[in-house]
Amino acid sequence: MATSIQKAKRLLTKMTLDEKIGQMVQFGRIKLNEKNLVREGKIGSFLNSRNVALVNEVQRIAMEQSRLKIPLLIGSDIIHGYVSTFPIPVAEACSWNLDLIESSAKHAMTEAAADGIRWNFAPMVDIARDPRWGRIAEGAGEDPYLGAQIAKARVRGFQAKGKNGYPLAAACAKHFVAYGGAEGGRDYNTVDMSEHVLRTTYLPPFKAAVDEGVMSFMSSFNDILSVPSSANDFSLRQVLKGEWRFDGFVVSDWESIEEVIAHGIADDRTSSALAGLKSGVDMDMHSGVYHDHLKELVIKDKKLELLIDDSVLRILKIKYDLGLFEHPYTDPNLRDEVILNKETVEMTLKMARESIVLLKNEALLPLSKEQKIALIGPFGDDPHTPIGCWGAEGNHKNTVTVKMAFENAGLDFVIAQGCDSIDPKVEWIQEAVDLASHQDIIILTLGERQDMSGENNNRAFLDLPGAQLELLRALKKLNKPIITLLFNGRPMTIPETVEKSDALLAVWHLGLSSGTAITEILFGDVNPSGKLVTTFPKTVGQIPLYYNHKRTGRPKFRRYIDCDEEPLFHFGFGLSYSNFIYDKLIMKKSRLGKKDKLEFTIDVYNDSDIDGQEIVQVYYRDLLAQVTRPVKELCAFEKANFKAHQLKTLSFSIPISQFGYYDPEMNFIIEKGNFALWVGPSSIEGIASEFTIR
Ligand code: BGC
């Protein structure tokens, strides 16, 4: 049997230049006047057409009326669910549960594939250290190691096999690369970082996606080392296709090839197309510069056809790998079977439960169901906000709000909005306070509306919008216990909210099972287990603030005269109703060779009457190196289940390569020397030990 690449090579020999270029062209939503272009073989892909009948119709034109019968590849953004909305990615990441994350991705893709979508512009694996940047919602947080594990899990899920034995879809690792490093947290902004930081922090999740067999990459909007990503020979040809031997294809981000004109490195559309082609962007998303100009470029310079051939082979290979030539059409009846089916909706609930992070609990939670509750705040019955950014086909009509979940649970409660989520008017506050004054406890929903995070939704202030803080202050005067539910798309700077709340949960934009998951946790049917994957600063002035910052010459110096340097909440932090005690960190060997593994055990005891889950985290510090290294780096973790009063001895085995780094010449090396190790419940707690590589 011929392999995909052999088949692609055979097909390439039959293709005209126009047909080759056609494979490199992606247009937006399918429009009627484009059907002729499909017939002529001048379009290889469409994006954002989410209609199975239409997708099948254009596919039929490609398969029956075009000369070479090459199937179209239909792409879309399935970021956290298709119709069944899952928690936003940064929330899912807080579960640290790789199996669940993989399963969430698989369920999302199964639904989308039923609409003929066989290519997903996800996972977004950008490291994000600046919460002002709205797209922090779409990734897995600030840590490269955790980001890499989650990247792999998502690739496995999106590319899981469908019923016909082929992958459900091609995943797309985006945005390559360093997009999250946008200056000032302003989306699309310039990025300036050393190659060292790039390789150490921003590249690892992308490399992990390649190792997991991701089929495509997307080049980003920003520049890297002063060259726009969609014209960047270094990132695309040298690193991705060279060093990493990536054999899938690269699509540009939306019109990002043409945008190199605005970046000022090309003076017209023709030269932007040339820059994209030369740098290794195989497919042009939407701008049309490949469609309009590649041919004239090849006529002038015949050698360019070799680059085109390489791009086309990559694209065709993936079309073969996806089984599109054999199974180009989507069964329209599949929708009824998979969309919003019981198993998928249950999965949104499982994922939501583990995405919630308990950040404060003054012995208040879990609540007893007998109390009289005041549910106050703008999000208590808002079905839109839990859908979050990139809602795909998610419909607010399917959301279970907190109010609905309280009703389902038969709770005794009253409800008032208290204020709008954004508008600063304070007129409704008094009514809410009056209502709450007759109740035992206040459950207060605060945070960010659905449209405040995601692409180009950056914020200069990260506190509560509108009159939300006034509402909290007014309620506080009642002297009743306040449990705050934070509906957030990013870390927020909310020290006063934390101080005035007796308990606080980050519930993010949690998807369609939002209210159910929150209610189960509030009343102790589920024990919270999520831990933060992003540092929460106290104030915007502290940004960038991330746990794995580098060592400096004057670590003890105070950096601000008007604020300390401590975050509000640390990376890896999250509470449980159980109390976990760490003990007996036993190293198998503490002097290790370069081929060894670092092996140790740790005892973790659930010192409570409640079953729970704990995310055991392992951090290290390289004590002496040729370059400045982080104060701490996550190098392993395990999420384990514990029965009440159960003691578990957990074993870890970490390859020594995990402790290597890039020297000043950018060689990855494993050096002899001493290392500190911590095993604990967050990035600032734990039992310390040390080891040596000799
Ligand atoms: C975003 C990408 C997305 C693409 C297609 C762009 O604006 O940056 O993340 O995949 O649009 O929808």
Side-chain angles (χ1 to χ4, degrees):
M1 259 263 288
T3 62
S4 296
I5 192 70
Q6 286 166 339
K7 290 181 196 164
K9 282 186 178 157
R10 214 175 293 151
L11 181 54
L12 187 77
T13 61
K14 300 183 189 149
M15 294 172 82
T16 63
L17 180 59
D18 281 328
E19 285 163 338
K20 289 178 186 174
I21 293 169
Q23 289 305 306
M24 300 169 70
V25 172
Q26 180 183 57
F27 280 175
R29 265 174 222 278
I30 302 167
K31 288 187 230 65
L32 286 179
N33 60 358
E34 283 158 358
K35 289 187 186 164
N36 265 340
L37 292 175
V38 173
R39 208 167 278 124
E40 291 164 16
K42 288 186 175 166
I43 298 182
S45 173
F46 285 99
L47 80 153
N48 288 341
S49 284
R50 299 185 183 134
N51 173 330
V52 65
L54 188 59
V55 166
N56 279 337
E57 188 190 329
V58 278
Q59 193 68 292
R60 195 154 302 228
I61 297 174
M63 297 311 289
E64 292 176 6
Q65 299 172 24
S66 76
R67 195 179 74 90
L68 291 173
K69 307 185 178 5
I70 302 175
L72 295 161
L73 181 55
I74 307 296
S76 196
D77 294 272
I78 317 303
I79 308 300
H80 57 113
Y82 185 57
V83 180
S84 303
T85 310
F86 284 82
I88 53 170
V90 72
E92 284 197 351
C94 290
S95 73
W96 300 54
N97 186 332
L98 300 176
D99 291 340
L100 214 51
I101 292 172
E102 175 179 339
S103 182
S104 153
K106 183 174 173 188
H107 278 82
M109 209 60 241
T110 303
E111 282 193 346
D115 260 350
I117 296 162
R118 301 294 306 284
W119 181 18
N120 188 6
F121 305 127
M124 191 277 224
V125 305
D126 297 313
I127 295 298
R129 293 170 156 184
D130 190 331
R132 291 172 294 185
W133 190 51
R135 301 197 85 167
I136 197 169
E138 293 175 52
E142 72 191 31
D143 184 70
Y145 175 78
L146 180 61
Q149 308 313 310
I150 292 178
K152 286 183 177 206
R154 291 195 165 128
V155 169
R156 284 196 296 275
F158 294 139
Q159 295 190 172
K161 290 215 161 63
K163 276 194 181 155
N164 59 16
Y166 286 100
L168 287 167
C172 181
K174 75 183 188 186
H175 307 80
F176 198 59
V177 58
Y179 184 38
E183 274 185 6
R186 297 192 286 277
D187 211 358
Y188 319 130
N189 201 9
T190 191
V191 170
D192 191 9
M193 70 176 62
S194 66
E195 186 180 335
H196 199 266
V197 171
L198 185 70
R199 287 191 182 269
T200 309
T201 305
Y202 289 81
L203 286 178
F206 286 97
K207 174 65 165 57
V210 173
D211 293 344
E212 201 59 49
V214 73
M215 291 175 165
S216 69
F217 260 58
M218 185 185 291
S219 59
S220 53
F221 287 124
N222 54 284
D223 59 341
I224 309 153
L225 304 168
S226 300
V227 179
S229 312
S230 299
N232 198 305
D233 192 76
F234 165 73
S235 56
L236 296 175
R237 289 219 187 268
Q238 185 182 319
V239 176
L240 177 62
K241 294 181 177 178
E243 289 172 31
W244 296 353
R245 300 179 186 284
F246 172 63
D247 64 359
F249 72 91
V250 178
V251 65
S252 73
D253 202 344
W254 185 271
E255 299 185 345
S256 65
I257 304 180
E258 188 178 10
E259 284 177 11
V260 306
I261 304 172
H263 276 275
I265 71 129
D267 52 6
D268 59 13
R269 296 180 85 239
T270 312
S271 39
S272 74
L274 181 63
L277 175 71
K278 280 191 165 167
S279 70
V281 185
D282 303 303
M283 189 185 284
D284 168 25
M285 183 189 282
H286 198 262
S287 82
V289 292
Y290 278 6
H291 175 267
D292 296 344
H293 301 291
L294 281 189
K295 192 171 180 182
E296 67 190 74
L297 285 163
V298 175
I299 290 169
K300 269 196 232 140
D301 179 0
K302 277 265 167 267
K303 289 196 298 294
L304 291 176
E305 194 162 353
L306 288 175
L307 297 183
I308 289 184
D309 285 354
D310 177 61
S311 291
V312 175
L313 277 179
R314 289 167 176 274
I315 295 164
L316 292 177
K317 173 184 180 293
I318 298 304
K319 289 187 175 182
Y320 279 110
D321 285 343
L322 286 170
L324 280 172
F325 285 85
E326 281 161 70
H327 305 279
Y329 307 114
T330 304
D331 173 2
N333 300 316
L334 206 55
R335 282 192 115 253
D336 296 339
E337 197 184 306
V338 302
I339 302 266
L340 284 170
N341 74 16
K342 197 164 162 258
E343 197 194 318
T344 307
V345 174
E346 267 171 24
M347 188 53 65
T348 67
L349 176 59
K350 283 189 192 155
M351 193 73 249
R353 287 173 182 146
E354 296 202 24
S355 304
I356 293 173
V357 187
L358 177 61
L359 293 172
K360 180 176 179 185
N361 187 14
E362 305 277 275
L364 185 62
L365 299 178
L367 299 169
S368 88
K369 289 190 175 143
E370 276 66 58
Q371 309 190 68
K372 287 189 339 203
I373 303 164
L375 176 60
I376 312 287
F379 303 106
D381 197 27
D382 169 4
H384 298 277
T385 289
I387 303 283
C389 57
W390 292 103
E393 294 298 297
N395 188 330
H396 69 275
K397 291 188 184 133
N398 298 321
T399 307
V400 179
T401 63
V402 178
K403 174 181 179 247
M404 289 155 77
F406 278 12
E407 282 164 358
N408 294 341
L411 298 172
D412 179 1
F413 74 104
V414 293
I415 179 165
Q417 209 176 314
C419 66
D420 180 69
S421 52
I422 292 189
D423 195 316
K425 67 172 181 282
V426 293
E427 288 95 287
W428 306 340
I429 292 182
Q430 194 51 48
E431 183 201 330
V433 172
D434 292 345
L435 200 68
S437 67
H438 305 291
Q439 305 299 105
D440 303 322
I441 52 163
I442 298 163
I443 296 179
L444 182 59
T445 63
L446 302 174
E448 297 181 309
R449 212 170 64 178
Q450 173 182 25
D451 56 359
M452 294 187 74
S453 53
E455 186 173 350
N456 206 17
N457 290 321
N458 318 307
R459 297 185 66 199
F461 300 96
L462 296 177
D463 43 10
L464 295 169
Q468 296 187 42
L469 194 55
E470 278 87 332
L471 175 64
L472 169 61
R473 286 176 183 150
L475 290 165
K476 185 70 188 167
K477 294 197 183 120
L478 294 175
N479 266 326
K480 298 194 185 264
I482 297 180
I483 297 125
T484 299
L485 304 173
L486 190 69
F487 286 69
N488 51 331
R490 54 156 66 74
M492 295 180 69
T493 56
I494 47 161
E496 187 179 337
T497 307
V498 176
E499 183 223 304
K500 291 200 161 60
S501 305
D502 301 280
L504 183 123
L505 295 134
V507 303
W508 311 98
H509 298 158
L510 210 53
L512 63 81
S513 297
S514 174
T516 313
I518 291 169
T519 306
E520 289 176 343
I521 286 199
L522 286 174
F523 295 92
D525 302 320
V526 170
N527 192 349
S529 63
K531 301 220 188 204
L532 296 179
V533 297
T534 50
T535 302
F536 275 48
K538 285 181 186 148
T539 175
V540 170
Q542 291 177 311
I543 296 170
L545 192 67
Y546 45 90
Y547 88 95
N548 50 352
H549 61 87
K550 290 212 205 170
R551 294 167 68 182
T552 60
R554 295 187 171 187
K556 294 207 168 70
F557 267 58
R558 229 177 124 188
R559 274 11 181 264
Y560 302 107
I561 53 169
D562 51 1
C563 179
D564 63 61
E565 269 180 80
E566 281 301 298
L568 186 59
F569 296 113
H570 291 86
F571 176 87
F573 174 73
L575 299 167
S576 159
Y577 299 152
S578 302
N579 179 33
F580 293 103
I581 297 176
Y582 286 65
D583 194 18
K584 290 202 194 114
L585 169 55
I586 299 172
M587 311 285 279
K588 190 165 170 202
K589 259 191 340 187
S590 57
R591 290 177 68 76
L592 303 151
K594 288 187 183 170
K595 297 219 167 74
D596 286 341
K597 289 188 164 172
L598 174 67
E599 291 174 300
F600 57 88
T601 58
I602 179 100
D603 284 359
V604 181
Y605 176 60
N606 178 1
D607 186 21
S608 76
D609 299 332
I610 312 175
D611 296 355
Q613 286 177 289
E614 171 68 338
I615 301 163
V616 178
Q617 302 162 42
V618 184
Y619 296 87
Y620 80 102
R621 180 193 293 177
D622 186 349
L623 297 180
L624 188 64
Q626 297 173 46
V627 297
T628 49
R629 307 279 330 269
V631 289
K632 255 184 192 186
E633 290 175 83
L634 182 74
C635 58
F637 66 89
E638 187 177 337
K639 185 168 194 176
N641 291 309
F642 292 82
K643 293 269 167 228
H645 298 287
Q646 186 180 11
L647 171 78
K648 273 192 176 178
T649 301
L650 301 175
S651 311
F652 286 86
S653 173
I654 307 172
I656 292 300
S657 57
Q658 188 62 43
F659 307 108
Y661 71 93
Y662 288 91
D663 72 9
E665 279 75 48
M666 299 303 144
N667 303 305
F668 186 78
I669 56 166
I670 300 165
E671 251 182 351
K672 293 179 181 171
N674 298 328
F675 296 78
L677 188 80
W678 296 268
V679 185
S682 81
S683 61
I684 53 155
E685 303 153 275
I687 300 186
S689 185
E690 54 196 23
F691 63 96
T692 305
I693 299 179
R694 41 182 183 89

